[in-house]
Amino acid sequence: MEALRSIPCLVQKFQGLLYSTAMAVPTKAVEFYLDSRRLIEELVQSYTEPYTDKLLPDLLPQEQHVFTLVLDLNETLIHYIWTRDTGWQTFKRPGVDAFLEHLAQFYEIVVYTDEQNMFVDPVIERLDTKHCIRYRLSRPATKYQDGKHFRDLSKLNRNPGKVLYLSGHALESCLQPENCVPIKAWQQQDIDDTALLDFIPFLEFVARSSPSDIRPVLASYEGCDIPSEFIRRSKEHQRRMQEQKHRGRFWK
């Protein structure tokens, strides 16, 4: 991080040095400046942009209909803390095992976090013993912007209409708010949390009904608690279906 902050200062100092040199040797200095500036820009981009434009491999032809469920890690699936007495401790959110195992039947599940590989890999190995998570993306796959690491779903190599990003900090950590599915951020003190389990009916319905574009669906839930609103809408739909059935019987 310090390296990122120091890059603009280095560029300014370097440009000043090259300008003074150019007064004496204009042509060579300009060529040297252009080559060096290109190298610096490439260095800056390597820190700020995802390492590739295709973070995930192509879907198989028979999987083109499958939705991709992108999950954040900290305060979404787990919570970790550090204390002087215990060091680092990682806690698993209640319901995470059932959540992953059930939804792996319907989704391509991807973990996308701003944590480093050295942290993510051992945590996922312990968290996902049944290998429900197909891919894991860590900090080098994020876009560094305005001092934060953002998830850039446009780099996933997936149809944007079939991507959902579930996170306890969804709207603050993703560059595509139209794909965001906010969930309550979790900390280990909340041992009665059911948020992951509460989302299963909605997410299964999406996978089974397979809308052509999930973004208008998510927009219709904006400002709502999605699991609660989904149950309300489902009950309302059932009520209307019952009314139609009774009308049909009456007119017969």
Side-chain angles (χ1 to χ4, degrees):
M1 194 68 71
E2 292 300 324
L4 283 173
R5 294 195 186 98
S6 63
I7 285 174
C9 296
L10 290 173
V11 172
Q12 291 178 0
K13 292 179 181 178
F14 189 60
Q15 287 175 336
L17 176 63
L18 289 174
Y19 178 79
S20 62
T21 306
M23 297 300 97
V25 197
T27 304
K28 289 185 178 180
V30 169
E31 291 175 354
F32 179 54
Y33 167 73
L34 293 176
D35 289 341
S36 301
R37 180 173 180 177
R38 184 165 53 251
L39 289 172
I40 291 172
E41 288 174 348
E42 290 173 358
L43 175 63
V44 172
Q45 187 174 23
S46 71
Y47 276 102
T48 59
E49 294 290 335
Y51 55 81
T52 176
D53 287 334
K54 297 176 99 175
L55 293 172
L56 301 177
D58 294 345
L59 276 173
L60 297 173
Q62 63 268 29
E63 291 185 313
Q64 293 300 317
H65 67 287
V66 175
F67 280 73
T68 300
L69 179 60
V70 181
L71 303 173
D72 202 355
L73 190 58
N74 191 36
E75 297 192 358
T76 302
L77 301 181
I78 65 165
H79 180 65
Y80 62 86
I81 59 172
W82 183 90
T83 65
R84 182 170 296 181
D85 295 331
T86 62
W88 286 106
Q89 288 184 293
T90 303
F91 300 87
K92 185 165 59 173
R93 188 171 196 162
V96 68
D97 293 331
F99 177 86
L100 291 174
E101 189 172 350
H102 186 75
L103 291 176
Q105 303 173 73
F106 306 101
Y107 285 87
E108 173 193 42
I109 298 180
V110 178
V111 164
Y112 195 177
T113 175
D114 60 356
E115 304 291 344
Q116 294 284 9
N117 281 333
M118 65 182 68
F119 172 82
V120 174
D121 289 338
V123 167
I124 296 297
E125 293 299 326
R126 292 168 55 199
L127 178 72
D128 183 31
T129 57
K130 295 189 177 180
H131 307 291
C132 300
I133 297 168
R134 191 178 297 189
Y135 302 106
R136 59 189 76 158
L137 301 171
S138 52
R139 182 170 296 182
T142 61
K143 180 180 178 66
Y144 186 78
Q145 179 177 293
D146 301 326
K148 291 178 61 178
H149 292 274
F150 290 92
R151 287 67 163 168
D152 189 353
L153 305 182
S154 70
K155 306 292 187 181
L156 289 181
N157 188 33
R158 293 292 181 267
N159 178 352
K162 292 186 177 294
V163 176
L164 299 89
Y165 173 58
L166 182 77
S167 171
H169 305 280
L171 297 174
E172 309 101 77
S173 63
C174 182
L175 294 176
Q176 289 76 29
E178 64 275 13
N179 292 94
C180 286
V181 182
I183 187 174
K184 181 179 68 172
W186 178 77
Q187 296 186 357
Q188 83 281 1
Q189 296 94 334
D190 189 2
I191 60 175
D192 298 320
D193 176 83
T194 62
L196 287 174
L197 299 178
D198 294 342
F199 258 101
I200 288 178
F202 170 75
L203 293 171
E204 182 176 338
F205 177 80
V206 167
R208 289 185 180 277
S209 60
S210 192
S212 59
D213 191 335
I214 190 59
R215 292 169 292 186
V217 176
L218 296 178
S220 75
Y221 284 89
E222 186 176 358
C224 301
D225 175 68
I226 292 179
S228 300
E229 178 63 11
F230 174 72
I231 291 173
R232 188 195 69 77
R233 293 184 188 185
S234 297
K235 289 181 177 179
E236 178 65 17
H237 175 73
Q238 290 175 358
R239 185 186 65 78
R240 290 177 181 174
M241 295 297 291
Q242 287 294 329
E243 287 180 354
Q244 289 179 3
K245 186 184 293 186
H246 286 310
R247 286 198 198 102
R249 288 175 181 172
F250 177 79
W251 288 111
K252 285 180 181 178

